[in-house]
Amino acid sequence: MKKATLVLGLLAASTSAAWAQSSVTMYGIVDAAARYSSNANPGGAKKQLSNSGMSQSRLGININEDMGGGLRAIANLEHRLSLDTGTTAASSPAGVFWFQSWVGLASNDFGIVTLGRQYNILFDLNASTFSSYKYSTYIDQYKPELGMTLNNRQDNMVKYKFIAGPITGELQVSAGENSAVDKSAGGALKYSDGAWAFGGGYLETEGATAATSAGKKVKGTMLGGAYSSGPIYINLSWMKNKFDAGANVLAATYAAGFLNGQSMGPLYTGAAVPLTSSQSRDMIMFGGTYQLTTQINLGAEYYHMEHKVDQTGAKYKSDYLSFVADYAFSKRTDAYFEADRTNLKNGETYLTTGYTRRYNAMLGLRHRF
């Protein structure tokens, strides 16, 4: 009897030890803001409770299993939601519930391989190296830079990441599976030594079917850097999108609304040039964040974009400016005030309103867990 009890005890101990090497962690953000937008529709200004402010509300699960020998199994599932209505985020592509859904292996010696729907290498480079705001990466309700990252995520992706001291590299590829804007290939490289960080990346995406301009490509290039020391953070970057002639759906997709439902780099002119006419667009972004006290962070960012149209070869310009003041109640909860301005030049207008200028402001509350 004593022997049986001893064996059972050892089995229980070994089972507990095995389970202790695995972890499943739930995380999330809940963020809502009262937002005012001038010239938001043909009737004028718009007032709303936005379903996100600085961050998009989300709920996610991280999975990590230590398999020994420096090898881990990892996985992630992440859903985005509209906090004001409790529904799936309005920005979700048709049929998409999980904004991220991937599984992978991480090795201390050979790097990380992940498979599934996940952030692309341009988004990773921007967010980790020269993001517009140090403590929030970007403003969810006003993010011109994300209009340049070729959709932020790609389906059916295989991504490889390696870290060698201060150098990090990433490669991605996704083969066409007869779905929209599905093919992709690219890579990024960055250097970070604590105070300085800089890097560059290149990504191509290609239409997979006739409905998505089969064989037509959009090419994204990104270069930038940042300096961080004590309370000071400064960033500078350049981004370019190049569209193949006739890349109809692709051009429309990558011009989609990142500025509160409006066109990011408005592709409409007085001559009624359609969405499908993009040839290229270039953006320069710079700004910084200053930690005034342990609780108060102030930041500002300026964006300048030039957009070239196929039919005429004419260039259209637009300027974007944002400001944020953030107050941290704790490590997880903060309140913020944000204001921004969009100024369209050379005949471009907002698609749905015909206006050339817009001002926005919001006051919000965010909790991270």
Side-chain angles (χ1 to χ4, degrees):
M1 183 67 181
K2 290 182 179 179
K3 289 182 179 180
T5 302
L6 178 60
V7 170
L8 289 173
L10 289 172
L11 286 172
S14 65
T15 302
S16 298
W19 279 105
Q21 295 175 354
S22 300
S23 66
V24 178
T25 305
M26 181 176 289
Y27 67 92
I29 299 176
V30 282
D31 187 332
R35 185 168 177 83
Y36 169 87
S37 300
S38 71
N39 298 337
N41 51 58
K46 181 180 180 180
K47 301 172 185 177
Q48 66 180 125
L49 178 64
S50 174
N51 61 51
S52 61
M54 290 300 294
S55 303
Q56 192 171 50
S57 297
R58 69 197 68 181
L59 183 64
I61 300 170
N62 276 325
I63 300 167
N64 192 321
E65 181 188 13
D66 188 346
M67 298 185 289
L71 185 65
R72 293 178 295 119
I74 55 177
N76 175 260
L77 296 171
E78 184 178 283
H79 173 65
R80 301 295 177 94
L81 61 131
S82 294
L83 191 68
D84 55 339
T85 62
T87 57
T88 297
S91 60
S92 301
V96 172
F97 182 86
W98 297 111
F99 268 56
Q100 292 198 83
S101 53
W102 53 261
V103 64
L105 291 174
S107 167
N108 293 342
D109 299 320
F110 302 108
I112 302 169
V113 176
T114 50
L115 302 90
R117 176 177 169 81
Q118 53 195 305
Y119 288 121
N120 68 30
I121 53 98
L122 293 185
F123 180 93
D124 286 345
L125 178 66
N126 176 270
S128 68
T129 313
F130 40 82
S131 62
S132 52
Y133 288 92
K134 183 176 181 180
Y135 298 101
S136 291
T137 309
Y138 58 86
I139 304 166
D140 186 66
Q141 284 292 318
Y142 196 83
K143 45 192 178 185
E145 65 269 48
L146 294 198
M148 307 296 289
T149 62
L150 303 195
N151 240 20
N152 305 330
R153 306 168 189 84
Q154 256 89 41
D155 296 339
N156 311 311
M157 186 201 300
V158 178
K159 183 164 65 174
Y160 171 69
K161 179 178 180 180
F162 70 87
I163 301 173
I167 298 174
T168 300
E170 286 190 338
L171 298 171
Q172 77 167 72
V173 62
S174 53
E177 296 180 7
N178 295 321
S179 58
V181 196
D182 194 41
K183 295 181 181 179
S184 71
L189 194 66
K190 79 168 188 177
Y191 173 89
S192 177
D193 66 0
W196 292 96
F198 53 88
Y202 176 82
L203 178 65
E204 284 189 4
T205 63
E206 180 181 328
T209 68
T212 57
S213 305
K216 304 296 184 179
K217 296 179 180 179
V218 180
K219 304 165 186 176
T221 306
M222 187 177 293
L223 296 170
Y227 173 77
S228 182
S229 178
I232 298 173
Y233 170 75
I234 301 170
N235 67 84
L236 172 65
S237 59
W238 167 78
M239 310 171 193
K240 183 180 185 68
N241 291 169
K242 174 70 174 175
F243 297 86
D244 279 359
N248 299 327
V249 174
L250 300 183
T253 298
Y254 297 131
F258 286 106
L259 299 186
N260 195 25
Q262 299 297 319
S263 172
M264 190 283 299
L267 305 181
Y268 178 85
T269 72
V273 176
L275 274 169
T276 57
S277 64
S278 271
Q279 186 179 79
S280 65
R281 58 178 182 234
D282 294 76
M283 176 177 284
I284 295 175
M285 178 181 87
F286 69 86
T289 305
Y290 183 76
Q291 187 172 354
L292 187 64
T293 70
T294 55
Q295 292 179 294
I296 299 174
N297 280 289
L298 304 175
E301 197 75 15
Y302 170 75
Y303 322 76
H304 174 77
M305 191 175 76
E306 293 189 0
H307 163 230
K308 191 173 182 180
V309 177
D310 269 341
Q311 285 93 328
T312 64
K315 285 187 177 180
Y316 298 88
K317 299 179 180 180
S318 49
D319 293 306
Y320 309 87
L321 179 66
S322 62
F323 167 80
V324 174
D326 185 274
Y327 181 84
F329 292 106
S330 66
K331 290 182 178 180
R332 297 179 179 273
T333 304
D334 61 325
Y336 54 84
F337 170 78
E338 183 270 350
D340 56 74
R341 186 202 72 171
T342 299
N343 187 24
L344 312 179
K345 303 175 182 179
N346 296 13
E348 284 192 311
T349 65
Y350 275 114
L351 288 171
T352 57
T353 65
Y355 294 118
T356 61
R357 187 169 295 179
R358 170 184 283 182
Y359 298 91
N360 301 292
M362 65 180 175
L363 185 63
L365 182 65
R366 172 176 58 179
H367 178 78
R368 288 164 282 197
F369 61 91

